[in-house]
Amino acid sequence: QVQLVESGGGLVQSGESLRLSCAASGRISGVYDMGWYRQAPGKQRDLVASISVGGILNYGDSVNGRFTISRDNPNNAVYLQMNSLKPDDTAIYYCYADIRGIPGKTWGQGTQVTVSS
């Protein structure tokens, strides 16, 4: 069984930074894309950022230039550095991985990020 475990969420003030981490564990033969989505109360889950195994990056429009995604392939981990945080960034952040042999995305449990004004 494969698990994704996230860490690094919390409460910060507007303008501050946070770094989220996510590591996949279990029987993993290969990981393709990894990334982060977020979901605010009453809203749909939206893509924040993704990174391919080869390092191709994709960012949501609302975070481009403020957030940076990176990954550690040997350890099946993905990170999200979030700078210049705004109250609109408040949401539950979910990491995901596209894992060889497992249909669809494998999701983490989510970590709460709250930005106060």
Side-chain angles (χ1 to χ4, degrees), residues 52-100:
S52 72
V53 66
I56 296 174
L57 308 178
N58 184 34
Y59 291 98
D61 290 341
S62 62
V63 306
N64 204 3
R66 298 187 296 122
F67 291 9
T68 302
I69 189 170
S70 60
R71 68 187 282 174
D72 177 356
N73 286 335
N75 292 304
N76 296 318
V78 63
Y79 308 96
L80 187 68
Q81 177 67 41
M82 304 185 294
N83 298 329
S84 302
L85 283 160
K86 306 174 182 179
D88 284 349
D89 295 318
T90 296
I92 299 175
Y93 284 69
Y94 297 91
C95 75
Y96 78 89
D98 294 325
I99 297 173
R100 182 183 299 164

Side-chain angles (χ1 to χ4, degrees), residues 14-61:
S14 183
E16 293 184 339
S17 299
L18 277 175
R19 179 177 168 86
L20 305 182
S21 301
C22 173
S25 62
R27 299 188 66 177
I28 298 172
S29 60
V31 180
Y32 304 115
D33 286 5
M34 300 185 79
W36 297 87
Y37 279 69
R38 68 185 182 186
Q39 187 166 20
K43 296 187 177 181
Q44 67 181 18
R45 190 176 293 192
D46 290 328
L47 175 70
V48 176
S50 66
I51 181 169
S52 72
V53 66
I56 296 174
L57 308 178
N58 184 34
Y59 291 98
D61 290 341

